[in-house]
Amino acid sequence: EHTVRVYQAYNASIASAAVEAQRFVPPWKEGRMTWIKPSFVWMGYRCGWTRKDANQSRVLAIDLHRASFDKLLLDAVLASAQQGERSDRDDSGASAAIVVQWDPERALGGDSGRHAFTHPLPAQRSLQMGLRGEATHLLAVADGIVAAITDVTSAFAAVGAAL
């Protein structure tokens, strides 16, 4: 495949501007760390299927060029290194532009209460990649790492309504 699809939730202003420009432009802030998620279900859980709050009411599918995504992974440090743990890399990760963490994947459905919409799958892990500094700048550059940005809010809202 030539692209890898990741998801991120934003407010309406940021989402509309990004879809129109096909890259991240103001009011999006380049200096703010952003977490991208390849898992549809994890993104749905994280943003409450678009109902969590206004700042996560729109979900974008961000198609990254595969070679760029692979390079981000190669340059990443584990998020645990951010908390002072040493990794096998020279950098402690305290100021790394790209961090990754593996969280329990989520599946649709579950018991009532906290896991009513999804439940964790402890045996499966889901990648989350945090970008900051120069890495977030790559999202804003024309002809950069972004191949396409698509508003997929309606799909997330439909799944949420069905749960």
Side-chain angles (χ1 to χ4, degrees):
E1 296 202 17
H2 300 288
T3 61
V4 175
R5 177 163 279 187
V6 297
Y7 300 95
Q8 182 53 290
Y10 294 100
N11 66 39
S13 298
I14 291 172
S16 294
V19 169
E20 183 176 334
Q22 286 298 291
R23 61 188 177 95
F24 288 89
V25 297
W28 178 81
K29 292 183 173 72
E30 191 174 302
R32 187 165 185 248
M33 186 168 198
T34 190
W35 288 87
I36 56 176
K37 301 152 188 71
S39 170
F40 184 94
V41 177
W42 183 263
M43 183 71 258
Y45 168 74
R46 180 67 180 87
C47 72
W49 301 100
T50 72
R51 298 182 297 225
K52 185 174 183 179
D53 62 57
N55 284 322
Q56 298 183 64
S57 63
R58 300 266 301 275
V59 180
L60 301 181
I62 306 160
D63 295 325
L64 302 177
H65 295 290
R66 177 61 191 249
S68 298
F69 181 81
D70 291 349
K71 173 96 170 82
L72 290 172
L73 282 176
L74 286 171
D75 292 345
V77 296
L78 292 173
S80 59
Q82 300 289 304
Q83 300 156 355
E85 294 180 25
R86 297 301 299 177
S87 70
D88 60 353
R89 304 188 77 146
D90 294 337
D91 185 333
S92 70
S95 61
I98 308 158
V99 295
V100 292
Q101 65 186 33
W102 296 93
D103 293 318
E105 179 59 281
R106 304 199 67 85
L108 294 175
D111 296 330
S112 62
R114 182 170 177 241
H115 299 297
F117 296 134
T118 67
H119 61 278
L121 296 172
Q124 295 178 17
R125 307 304 275 179
S126 181
L127 174 76
Q128 292 193 65
M129 185 184 297
L131 307 174
R132 68 173 150 222
E134 180 59 29
T136 57
H137 173 73
L138 296 173
L139 295 173
V141 176
D143 299 321
I145 66 172
V146 176
I149 300 174
T150 307
D151 188 333
V152 292
T153 303
S154 61
F156 278 81
V159 170
L163 295 173

